[in-house]
Amino acid sequence: MSCSVHDVIRLEALGVPTAAVGTEPFVDEALEQASLLGMPGYRAVLIPHPVQLLTTEELHARADDAFAGIVARLLAHPSLKGVHNVGTMM
Amino acid sequence: MEYVTPFDERVREPIAHAPRPEDLRGRTVALLDINKARGAEFLDRVEELLREEGAETVRVAKPWFSRPATGEQVAEIAGRAELVVEALAD
Amino acid sequence: MSVLPDVALERLDGPPVALSDLCGRGRVVLVFVHGDCPTSLLALRRLAAVGDSAVRLVCVAEEDVVGAARLARRAGVDFTTLAAPAPYEVSRSLGIETVPTAVLLGTDERVVGWDADAYERLLGVALPGEPRLKPGCGARSVEGEPVGGLDELEDMLERGWTDGLPVVPPTPERVDAMLGGRDPERSLGDVPPAHGEATLRRVASCAVLAGCRPEYFPVVVAAVEAALEPAFNAHGLAVTTQPAGVAIVVNGPARERLGLNGGSGALGPGNRANATIGRALRLVLTLTGGAAPGALDRATLGSPLKVGLCFAEREEASPWPPLHVERGFDAGMSTATVFAVDAPVSISDHRSRTPEELAATLGWAAAGTWSPFWWPMDDTSLYVVCPEHAALFAGAGWSKERLRDAIYAEVVRPAGELQHGETTPHVWASDAATPVHKWTEPEKIQLVVAGGEAGRFSAVFGPCDGMGTRPITKEISWST
C-alpha cells in the first residue's frame, strides 16, 4: 500500500486524479503514508482481505462493489465537506 | 531533560489534490497494475465498468510492486491518461 | 441537550463528516473512545459483532486519523469511524469525561463505560458475552495524552524511541561523543517509507539508543549507507508482509579493532558490538525511516532477527577469500555488507565425509526456505558455513564457486512435484518431468564463514522474495 500511495500522490501533484485500491487491513498504513507525504486527506479505496485465494468471479465481484468508491475518488475532491455522496457512504 | 531525537520532525509541504472532472465520459483512465498477483483480474473488471461509463482506458504496469514507480514512469503515465486507478495492494 | 459543534471530523474511508450531517438520519449513536483505554477496546469489539440494528453506530476516536484507524483495526470495527483529536472540541462540547461513552444523537441518553445491558436497550439488539460491566477510563479531553514517567528509561519507552527493549537516552553529550567530531548535518540520504533524513546527528541518536560505543559508529554509518542504496530496496523491505530483516556482515580489520564476534555464537546475543550495531541500523529504519512494526512495517510475523543482526566473518577459518575481497574490495579494508534476510534455518551435518554429501545437506536445507514449492527463486540465500564444515571443503580443495555450483545443481525437483497451490507460473506451465532448480542461478547462493571451532551446525537465511534486493557493501571509514 505504501508504494501505491507514493505513486498516486506524485500523480496528484502532477494534476492527475487518482484512486488507489488496497485491502482493508492496510487502512492505517494508507492514511499514515499519505500524511507523511503531505496529503493527509487522501483516502484509498479498501476492499475486504484476502484476495489471493479468490476465484476470478469473486475478484470481479469485489471490483463491482468497489466501483462506486473508485468513481467517487476520481470525480470528487476527497477533502470536500459534506460531499454529495456522504449519504450513500453512510 | 532534552534529548536528540532520531525522528525527522520537519513537516512536509502540503500537496493539493488534483482538480477533478465532472464525469468520466470521454476521459482516458490508466489502470496501473502494481504487478502483484490477481491485480490484473481486478483491473479487468474495473476497466469493463469504466468503459460502460464511457471512459477510454489504457493498461500500464509497474515492474516491481515493492518499489514506488520511478519519476520517469510517473511522468509517462501522467502523459498518457487524465485519471489513474492503481491496484491491487494486499 | 448539548449543542453539536460546527466542525467536520476526519473519516477513515471518505471525506470529512460534520456531526450535524448525521442528525436527522435516523437513530445514530456516537461511541467516544481512545486507544489507551482497554474498556474502549472491549466495547468496540463487542459492538463490532452487532449485526443489523435500527440504530447506526459511529465510532468517534479521540485520536488523529491514523490512531483512529489503528484502533478500529484492532477492534475489528467496520462501522463508520471518525477521528476527533486534540483539542477534543467535540468531546468537550458534549461533556465527555469518560471513554467509552455512547451518546444517542439528539437526546440526553448516554451510556458511560461498558454496560452490556444498557447498550442492549440503546441498540435494541442482544449483546451476549462477558463481562457485562466494566468501568471506563478518563477521556483525553479531560486527562490529556499520557505523560512520560519521571524515570528517563520509562520516558524513552513511552515516547516510542525503542524497539520494545530499554534504550540509552540520547542526551546531547552522548550524541556528541558518538559523532566524534563528524559533521552532524551530513546526510546519508532519506530513509523510506517516512523519508526521514538520515543526518549523522539522527544516526548517532539511533546508535546511542541502541547502546553502541562511539568507536562502533563508523560501522553503523557504513551499514546505513549500504541499506539506503536504491538497489537494496529498503522501502520494499520496510513495508512488506514478509519477515524481512537485515544482516550486516563485517570484514577486515574492524572486526578485531571493535571486538566483533565471528566465532562461537556469532548469530546470537552476548557481544556488545554485534548486538548494538545491528540494533542501531534497525532503529534508523524503524524510527528515522518510520518503519515501526504494526504501523508502516506490516510484517505478518516478523522474526527475532529484526531486533538487529550483525556479525563478523571468521576470515581466518575460511579457505576462501573473504566476502569483501570476493566483492572487489582490498583485504586490508574494513567493510560492512548488508543482506536482506528472513529468519535463519539451522543445518546440522555431523556425518558427511565428502564435500558432495555436505553440499547436498546444505542445499536441501534451503529447499523449504520461503516455500517448498515456489521455485525457482530469483533471490539471494545467505549461508553461514561453520568452521568444521568449511574445513571439510578446504580439505577437498573445493573453491567457493565449486560449492555454490554444487548446491545449485543438487537442489532440483521435477515440476510435477512442485505443482501445488503455492507454486510459480513457470512450474504450472512446465511438463511434470521438467527439472526446476531452487534458484534461478548459482550466483543467488552467497556464502560466508562464521561460528565456533566445534560443532557442525551451519545456517542459511531465508531469501526475501519479490523485493529486487541485492547485497550492498560499503567501506567503513574511520575519518571524522
Side-chain angles (χ1 to χ4, degrees):
Chain A
M1 195 79 243
S2 162
C3 297
S4 292
V5 172
H6 275 74
D7 297 341
V8 295
I9 286 179
R10 281 181 299 160
L11 285 164
E12 295 273 348
L14 291 175
V16 180
T18 67
V21 189
T23 58
E24 283 165 355
F26 299 95
V27 56
D28 53 322
E29 181 185 353
L31 290 166
E32 184 171 2
Q33 188 69 80
S35 182
L36 286 167
L37 293 173
M39 200 174 272
Y42 191 88
R43 296 291 180 271
V45 179
L46 300 167
I47 68 173
H49 191 91
V51 298
Q52 291 298 320
L53 300 178
L54 299 180
T55 63
T56 302
E57 292 66 35
E58 288 167 334
L59 268 169
H60 288 183
R62 292 276 196 272
D64 289 340
D65 293 342
F67 191 64
I70 290 171
V71 173
R73 300 296 189 281
L74 294 177
L75 301 185
H77 192 302
S79 292
L80 279 178
K81 273 192 191 184
V83 159
H84 58 273
N85 56 352
V86 164
T88 53
M89 284 187 191
M90 294 294 288
Chain B
M1 169 66 82
E2 203 172 299
Y3 301 112
V4 177
T5 177
F7 295 96
D8 187 341
E9 291 171 333
R10 292 171 300 170
V11 177
R12 204 171 268 256
E13 274 299 310
I15 300 173
H17 288 89
R20 262 63 181 160
E22 290 296 315
D23 56 41
L24 293 173
R25 188 155 295 280
R27 307 280 173 191
T28 303
V29 185
L31 294 141
L32 172 52
D33 191 342
I34 68 170
N35 226 345
K36 250 188 141 177
R38 318 308 308 283
E41 294 154 84
F42 179 86
L43 286 172
D44 286 343
R45 181 60 180 151
V46 173
E47 181 173 28
E48 218 177 302
L49 294 167
L50 286 168
R51 286 180 168 274
E52 284 173 17
E53 296 293 319
E56 304 286 326
T57 60
V58 57
R59 297 291 289 260
V60 289
K62 288 204 291 189
W64 292 101
F65 67 82
S66 60
R67 292 170 182 272
T70 64
E72 292 76 22
Q73 289 163 354
V74 169
E76 198 230 339
I77 293 164
R80 292 176 70 186
E82 299 163 80
L83 303 162
V84 174
V85 178
E86 182 163 358
L88 174 54
D90 71 332
Chain C
M1 195 165 53
S2 312
V3 174
L4 287 176
D6 181 25
V7 63
L9 296 182
E10 293 267 34
R11 182 186 162 145
L12 299 192
D13 57 353
V17 172
L19 288 183
S20 51
D21 288 345
L22 297 173
C23 296
R25 290 177 183 269
R27 286 165 66 86
V28 176
V29 166
L30 307 181
V31 183
F32 287 81
V33 290
H34 68 61
D36 289 312
C37 173
T39 310
S40 291
L41 188 58
L42 164 73
L44 289 177
R45 284 193 171 132
R46 299 284 285 276
L47 296 172
V50 168
D52 286 330
S53 163
V55 176
R56 188 173 294 280
L57 284 163
V58 175
C59 170
V60 181
E62 292 186 324
E63 303 278 352
D64 64 20
V65 69
V66 177
R70 296 238 157 86
L71 178 55
R73 183 162 61 85
R74 281 168 66 203
V77 160
D78 64 1
F79 49 83
T80 301
T81 299
L82 306 177
Y88 311 114
E89 201 177 338
V90 175
S91 296
R92 289 184 208 288
S93 72
L94 289 174
I96 304 295
E97 297 184 343
T98 302
V99 289
T101 290
V103 175
L104 178 61
L105 259 193
T107 74
D108 288 326
E109 217 176 317
R110 51 181 65 187
V111 180
V112 178
W114 175 246
D115 181 341
D117 294 344
Y119 271 97
E120 284 183 341
R121 290 190 294 274
L122 189 65
L123 303 178
V125 295
L127 287 168
E130 296 293 325
R132 304 300 292 170
L133 287 172
K134 188 168 180 185
C137 320
R140 292 228 170 100
S141 52
V142 170
E143 298 192 355
E145 300 276 350
V147 287
L150 292 172
D151 179 321
E152 60 175 3
L153 296 186
E154 282 299 319
D155 187 8
M156 289 290 111
L157 288 162
E158 287 193 22
R159 286 172 189 239
W161 291 16
T162 174
D163 49 12
L165 290 166
V167 290
V168 178
T171 61
E173 296 73 29
R174 290 190 181 116
V175 172
D176 282 342
M178 186 64 65
L179 283 166
R182 292 172 183 83
D183 176 9
E185 296 303 325
R186 186 185 141 217
S187 173
L188 302 180
D190 277 358
V191 191
H195 303 289
E197 193 179 14
T199 58
L200 288 191
R201 178 184 286 109
R202 292 191 185 109
V203 176
S205 172
C206 292
V208 170
L209 286 164
C212 288
R213 300 169 68 101
E215 52 260 47
Y216 303 163
F217 192 57
V219 186
V220 177
V221 170
V224 172
E225 284 178 321
L228 295 185
E229 280 288 323
F232 189 65
N233 193 11
H235 191 155
L237 295 167
V239 300
T240 181
T241 43
Q242 64 188 280
V246 185
I248 305 168
V249 181
V250 179
N251 286 91
R255 299 168 301 139
E256 190 163 326
R257 179 169 170 172
L258 304 180
L260 277 153
N261 183 20
S264 182
L267 301 187
N271 176 287
R272 182 177 179 177
N274 287 32
T276 60
I277 292 169
R279 194 184 186 205
L281 172 61
R282 290 299 309 171
L283 290 177
V284 171
L285 298 174
T286 58
L287 302 182
T288 314
L296 292 176
D297 174 337
R298 308 304 287 216
T300 308
L301 279 174
S303 109
L305 70 80
K306 288 184 73 164
V307 175
L309 177 63
C310 174
F311 62 98
E313 181 170 25
R314 191 165 178 170
E315 297 173 20
E316 297 72 20
S318 173
W320 307 305
L323 177 70
H324 63 321
V325 171
E326 188 188 339
R327 293 176 67 76
F329 291 76
D330 290 341
M333 284 173 142
S334 292
T335 63
T337 304
V338 294
F339 293 84
V341 289
D342 284 0
V345 166
S346 176
I347 311 170
S348 165
D349 186 318
H350 291 73
R351 285 167 190 80
S352 287
R353 292 176 171 277
T354 69
E356 290 82 5
E357 287 175 337
L358 180 52
T361 301
L362 295 178
W364 284 106
T369 59
W370 182 268
S371 160
F373 308 119
W374 184 269
W375 291 20
M377 295 202 69
D378 192 34
D379 308 290
T380 300
S381 291
L382 173 63
Y383 279 88
V384 183
V385 181
C386 68
E388 282 204 53
H389 286 166
L392 191 155
F393 293 115
W398 273 33
S399 67
K400 187 185 276 191
E401 289 66 35
R402 185 163 177 191
L403 173 55
R404 175 180 284 140
D405 288 344
I407 291 173
Y408 172 79
E410 172 68 32
V411 191
V412 62
R413 293 168 75 178
E417 287 182 17
L418 300 171
Q419 285 167 347
H420 292 259
E422 170 79 349
T423 195
T424 57
H426 169 78
V427 165
W428 279 123
S430 300
D431 291 334
T434 304
V436 181
H437 290 263
K438 171 69 180 178
W439 296 274
T440 52
E441 54 182 1
E443 287 65 32
K444 290 294 182 288
I445 298 162
Q446 295 288 307
L447 304 116
V448 296
V449 173
E453 298 87 15
R456 295 189 174 219
F457 289 93
S458 290
V460 63
F461 290 93
C464 292
D465 182 66
M467 299 286 113
T469 178
R470 298 286 176 261
I472 306 289
T473 305
K474 291 288 182 184
E475 187 183 359
I476 296 166
S477 167
W478 306 104
S479 72
T480 56

